[in-house]
Amino acid sequence: MNTALSDLGGRRPSYRERVADALRAALIAGELRPGEVYSAPALAARFGVSATPVREAMLDLAKEGLVDTVPNKGFRVTAVSERQLDEYTHIRALIEIPTTAHLAATADPVALRALRPVAEEIVTAAAAGDLIAYIEADQRFHLGLLALAGNGHLVEVVRDLRRRARLYGLTALVEQGRLEASAEEHLELLDALLARDTETVRAVMTRHLGHVRGLWAAP
């Protein structure tokens, strides 16, 4: 992990929630691998924090089914099958593509422009190869965008699907210098939304979500 815990932005959650968010991001990015057991002290050393909030955060992730507790050892990251990942991505596409396309006609331009700094943060994280910051900012961007539709239940469904995902190919994309191109799609999407170009929004979102089971998914 190459993101300091203090760098994680967004709303102001509790310290335990911030640790949990960072752990989820590491898990989604594939930096915590399925089947491997991680102790709270070892993870705490990687984050530069004490073991107690890490242990508490991992217990939260265990309740979500993202890790299993291993007595006297730590926590094992749960595996996600290819079929499950396909199903999660399919549901996300059914929800996010039409919802985002609809925002081209309904979203407040001021609210859309407020998301530009987050989109730029995603590009910066991609350029730096900072996967934890990338995942965290990407989540804030997409959930913030979906929130403009005014359906809180929809946002929570997508938040849960994102938590369950695994993007093992991100490290390879960083090494190949290709993650920045994917990151810039967030700016492209905002531009299309502000231009009220529904078809381009739909096309960009379709391409962008396709990376979840394409570019970003390869082990």
Side-chain angles (χ1 to χ4, degrees):
M1 295 178 195
N2 48 20
T3 297
L5 186 59
S6 59
D7 290 339
L8 297 178
R11 65 182 179 85
R12 295 191 177 277
S14 70
Y15 193 60
R16 172 175 173 169
E17 289 174 324
R18 293 178 66 213
V19 173
D21 285 344
L23 288 168
R24 285 191 197 92
L27 189 150
I28 293 168
E31 293 197 6
L32 298 181
R33 304 292 293 190
E36 293 191 23
V37 176
Y38 299 90
S39 70
L43 289 173
R46 292 171 71 173
F47 277 96
V49 297
S50 64
T52 298
V54 171
R55 187 175 294 107
E56 293 173 342
M58 291 299 277
L59 289 173
D60 290 338
L61 268 59
K63 293 176 183 177
E64 297 171 13
L66 301 181
V67 299
D68 294 321
T69 57
V70 181
N72 302 317
K73 291 187 178 180
F75 302 87
R76 179 184 292 112
V77 176
T78 58
V80 180
S81 70
E82 293 294 311
R83 178 173 179 175
Q84 286 174 309
L85 290 174
D86 286 339
E87 290 174 349
Y88 298 156
T89 305
H90 180 61
I91 297 170
R92 285 188 60 188
L94 290 174
I95 295 172
E96 294 186 62
I97 294 173
T99 301
T100 306
H102 184 65
L103 289 173
T106 62
D108 179 359
V110 174
L112 289 172
R113 283 192 286 270
L115 288 170
R116 189 170 295 277
V118 186
E120 292 170 346
E121 189 178 334
I122 296 169
V123 175
T124 299
D130 191 335
L131 297 184
I132 308 304
Y134 182 96
I135 293 293
E136 195 275 338
D138 181 73
Q139 172 160 297
R140 281 192 285 122
F141 177 88
H142 285 287
L143 296 185
L145 184 60
L146 291 173
L148 300 182
N151 188 329
H153 292 292
L154 180 151
V155 174
E156 287 307 310
V157 168
V158 174
R159 186 194 306 274
D160 182 64
L161 291 169
R162 291 177 62 94
R163 286 175 175 175
R164 296 174 184 276
R166 302 290 190 275
L167 304 175
Y168 301 126
L170 289 181
T171 299
L173 286 181
V174 170
E175 293 171 350
Q176 297 163 10
R178 299 169 65 192
L179 188 59
E180 285 183 73
S182 296
E184 288 171 357
E185 290 177 345
H186 298 84
L187 294 169
E188 183 182 356
L189 180 61
L190 275 182
D191 289 341
L193 284 164
L194 286 164
R196 302 299 192 189
D197 187 342
T198 302
E199 290 309 309
T200 297
V201 169
R202 190 181 302 275
V204 174
M205 275 301 298
T206 300
R207 182 189 346 132
H208 191 66
L209 279 178
H211 297 330
V212 175
R213 295 299 291 133
L215 289 175
W216 299 348

